[in-house]
Amino acid sequence: MAIEPPLTELPIKTADNGFYRGFSVNVTVISKIIISILVVWCIFWPTQSGNVLGGLNSVILANFAAWYIWVVAFFIIVCFGLALWPAAGKLNLGQPGEGPEFSNFSWFSMMFGAGIGVGMLTWAVAEPVAHFGSNPETIQGITTGGAADNVRMAYKWSFLHWGLGAWACYAVAGLSLAFFSYRRGLPLTIRSAMTPLFGKSLSGPLGHLIDIVAVVATILGVAQTLGFGVEQFVAGLTRIGIGGLVDAEGGATFVGIIVALLVIMGASTISALSGVGKGIKWLSNINMVLSIVLLGFFIIFGATFFGASAFIVGIWDYLIALPQMSFNVWSSDGVEGSESFLLTQWQGWWPVFYWAWWIAFAPFVGLFLARISRGRSIREFVLGAMIVPSIMCFVWFAWAGGTAIDLELNGGANGVIFDAANGDKIFAMTEFMLAPIAEALAWGMAMLIVILLMTFLVTSADSAVLIVNTINAAGDEGPKARPHILFWGAALGLVVAGLLISGGTSAIQTAMVIGALPFSVVMVLMCISLVKAIFNDSRREAAGVPAVHSEIEGATGNGLSPAE
């Protein structure tokens, strides 16, 4: 049987005129309805919505924890397998001979800022501290929580959650979208990544469903990031002298939430209107520079040698334990307080939550990575999108978190850092370090962190708005109608506000874990589809059949009908 060229056309019906001109009405309207219902439900019935979301979360954690653990391990295997596979690694995520649009610095900056950067300011300090107090080894009595023998365990688990697994989720989505959009000429939208499996049927309801799932997952995944960011932003504003934004327990008040969201979403919407090449690129470069300044402060003036040891030994421990940590699933015996119960509970709180977060974030970051990675090879993409950002995360955790642990163990902090709220830990630490020298220095560092936090949050939010509009517009990367950018900017802010009101960040976490589940299935199909497409392309190359969009266009009249 003759080998045919691949599918290079996937028509998606969009409106020709009116308010939704250029947009897929099915995807856009249904996505807006789902998000609007969630917002109204959480704001007007906060108790009921909190209880229902909590119940659904318990069901998912009880029945799908293993799925989340194993599916992320599968993504790591697929990504490195594609990079090492000779037929795949050399392929250009674009047309033959095409080079990348952005420099390596801008590429890394946008990738890090949109993908995970904002989390560094909360979790680079908070997570090593949390695992230093409790982790599976302390639960099993192997190490002692809060003692020196538990430092290595704190970093092993921190690196697991922010290392290769996180970036594999993004890379799977990004690789699939870039491959099918820039090599095949298909629309830059999630459904295109499954054409080898479902073909032209993706032009209809099945494709609409896939894109709707991606839009909802994106909004919930970004809402999780913004929810943590809003609380930290409010903590930072309080540290620089703006009062009335936190309550007696140190949490953000209703006024604090609204002020933070107005500032963040207002700035992000303005940036989104300017597009990727302007606002987002410049914001990403700015927050990368500020990140280097802040990180340099921790490396030079913080726990320099403690951090270096945590970095080197932590990577070693992480890589050695990665296979076991990636596949192990604990099962509870149902006895509350037992070792198996606590281990299962811990896994639900940490790895399962993180894998759901990264999966929910994947359509947004993946499509964004595809957009900024055109012209790079698959091997370059995998190495650049997985290894470099992972190392950057490890550096942050080693020196920022290491400084916090060292100050508590050896520097006389006496709980000042450990007892602070997660979002406030980095502010408490820098104030403890600088206030004895000069209050002005401590205030200045708090201001730098607030500015950096805002640029990270704005980068994430405006990138998400542009990506959602790209999916809704059937993959059109061109300028989007301003009302739709304004709608999704407001919707994202209202989702965060509604979920925070209905149950704080735990409600956002629950909604995100639920929203990530269907998209995790989509991502598995994307992996299978991509491997199938590359395998078939290698057969086409051997048979002299064109496999790239431009080559197929030039080969019209050869009697071959495009079909995957």
Side-chain angles (χ1 to χ4, degrees):
M1 181 177 176
I3 301 175
E4 298 179 335
L7 182 69
T8 57
E9 291 185 7
L10 185 65
I12 302 173
K13 185 179 179 181
T14 57
D16 296 325
N17 49 54
F19 183 72
Y20 287 102
R21 181 185 178 189
F23 286 81
S24 168
V25 176
N26 292 302
V27 175
T28 308
V29 172
I30 294 175
S31 298
K32 286 182 177 180
I33 290 173
I34 292 172
I35 295 300
S36 298
I37 290 173
L38 178 63
V39 169
V40 172
W41 185 39
C42 290
I43 290 178
F44 291 98
W45 292 277
T47 303
Q48 181 195 53
S49 59
N51 292 337
V52 172
L53 289 173
L56 288 173
N57 187 53
S58 299
V59 171
I60 288 177
L61 291 180
N63 296 283
F64 294 97
W67 167 260
Y68 276 119
I69 298 295
W70 294 336
V71 82
V72 172
F74 173 66
F75 296 154
I76 295 174
I77 293 169
V78 168
C79 287
F80 280 114
L82 290 174
L84 296 173
W85 183 12
K90 66 181 181 181
L91 293 179
N92 189 321
L93 296 172
Q95 300 300 301
E98 185 177 359
E101 177 184 356
F102 299 102
S103 67
N104 286 338
F105 181 81
S106 291
W107 186 48
F108 290 135
S109 297
M110 288 189 285
M111 184 164 51
F112 188 76
I116 218 166
V118 66
M120 291 297 94
L121 295 179
T122 300
W123 297 108
V125 177
E127 185 156 348
V129 166
H131 297 326
F132 181 60
S134 176
N135 59 59
E137 280 73 20
T138 63
I139 293 173
Q140 297 173 84
I142 299 171
T143 57
T144 305
D149 70 335
N150 199 37
V151 172
R152 292 177 66 170
M153 300 302 105
Y155 278 95
K156 180 182 77 171
W157 290 105
S158 297
F159 286 2
L160 171 70
H161 301 145
W162 294 80
L164 298 176
W167 291 94
C169 295
Y170 302 156
V172 162
L175 274 175
S176 299
L177 290 165
F179 181 90
F180 290 102
S181 295
Y182 300 136
R183 284 184 65 84
R184 298 286 171 84
L186 296 171
L188 185 61
T189 186
I190 305 299
R191 72 177 80 187
S192 295
M194 278 167 281
T195 49
L197 300 179
F198 303 110
K200 291 186 177 180
S201 64
L202 291 168
S203 292
L206 177 61
H208 299 333
L209 176 62
I210 290 169
D211 283 347
I212 290 167
V213 167
V215 168
V216 173
T218 297
I219 294 298
L220 294 178
V222 177
Q224 177 69 66
T225 298
L226 293 179
F228 286 134
V230 161
E231 292 203 332
Q232 187 169 33
F233 189 66
V234 169
L237 293 177
T238 302
R239 288 280 179 175
I240 61 176
I242 301 176
L245 303 181
V246 297
D247 55 29
E249 289 76 33
T253 62
F254 178 79
V255 173
I257 292 171
I258 299 304
V259 168
L261 285 173
L262 286 175
V263 172
I264 294 164
M265 298 312 303
S268 66
T269 302
I270 293 171
S271 178
L273 291 170
S274 68
V276 175
K278 295 180 181 178
I280 296 175
K281 176 183 175 182
W282 283 106
L283 277 172
S284 298
N285 288 342
I286 289 170
N287 61 37
M288 181 60 81
V289 171
L290 292 178
S291 295
I292 292 172
V293 171
L294 180 60
L295 182 60
F297 169 77
F298 290 129
I299 292 175
I300 297 171
F301 300 105
T304 304
F305 297 106
F306 187 98
S309 173
F311 178 71
I312 296 170
V313 176
I315 289 178
W316 170 260
D317 289 340
Y318 163 66
L319 292 176
I320 293 298
L322 182 60
Q324 188 270 338
M325 291 190 297
S326 297
F327 289 97
N328 180 57
V329 177
W330 281 295
S331 298
S332 174
D333 59 8
V335 179
E336 188 169 349
S338 69
E339 182 178 296
S340 66
F341 177 88
L342 294 175
L343 288 170
T344 304
Q345 184 182 58
W346 187 93
Q347 191 166 51
W349 284 347
W350 291 98
V352 173
F353 157 66
Y354 270 121
W355 296 161
W357 189 3
W358 305 147
I359 288 169
F361 226 44
F364 150 51
V365 181
L367 204 152
F368 186 72
L369 287 184
R371 169 64 185 83
I372 65 175
S373 302
R374 180 169 182 161
R376 298 182 183 273
S377 71
I378 287 180
R379 185 171 294 115
E380 181 182 13
F381 181 97
V382 169
L383 296 178
M386 288 184 65
I387 295 177
V388 174
S390 293
I391 291 174
M392 281 298 298
C393 291
F394 298 163
V395 168
W396 267 94
F397 275 71
W399 273 278
T403 297
I405 293 174
D406 187 52
L407 287 173
E408 290 283 2
L409 280 178
N410 309 306
N414 294 322
V416 169
I417 303 168
F418 283 5
D419 294 342
N422 286 335
D424 196 36
K425 279 182 168 61
I426 192 169
F427 294 105
M429 179 171 67
T430 53
E431 182 174 306
F432 177 79
M433 295 169 67
L434 295 173
I437 302 172
E439 289 288 345
L441 284 177
W443 185 91
M445 182 57 71
M447 177 62 76
L448 183 148
I449 295 171
V450 168
I451 294 172
L452 177 57
L453 177 62
M454 181 174 173
T455 60
F456 271 138
L457 289 169
V458 170
T459 301
S460 296
D462 63 6
S463 300
V465 169
L466 286 176
I467 294 312
V468 165
N469 269 322
T470 297
I471 297 173
N472 288 334
D476 177 22
E477 299 177 70
K480 304 298 185 296
R482 288 175 179 264
H484 297 283
I485 290 178
L486 295 173
F487 173 86
W488 286 112
L492 188 53
L494 288 171
V495 168
V496 176
L499 289 171
L500 285 174
I501 290 169
S502 69
T505 53
S506 62
I508 300 180
Q509 174 181 333
T510 298
M512 180 271 301
V513 169
I514 296 167
L517 186 60
F519 192 71
S520 67
V521 177
V522 172
M523 287 181 64
V524 170
L525 295 175
M526 292 171 81
C527 290
I528 297 170
S529 179
L530 181 60
V531 171
K532 179 182 178 182
I534 294 173
F535 174 74
N536 286 340
D537 278 2
S538 65
R539 295 174 61 217
R540 292 185 179 104
E541 183 179 356
V545 176
V548 181
H549 176 62
S550 59
E551 296 173 349
I552 295 170
E553 283 189 324
T556 53
N558 61 3
L560 297 174
S561 60
E564 191 60 46

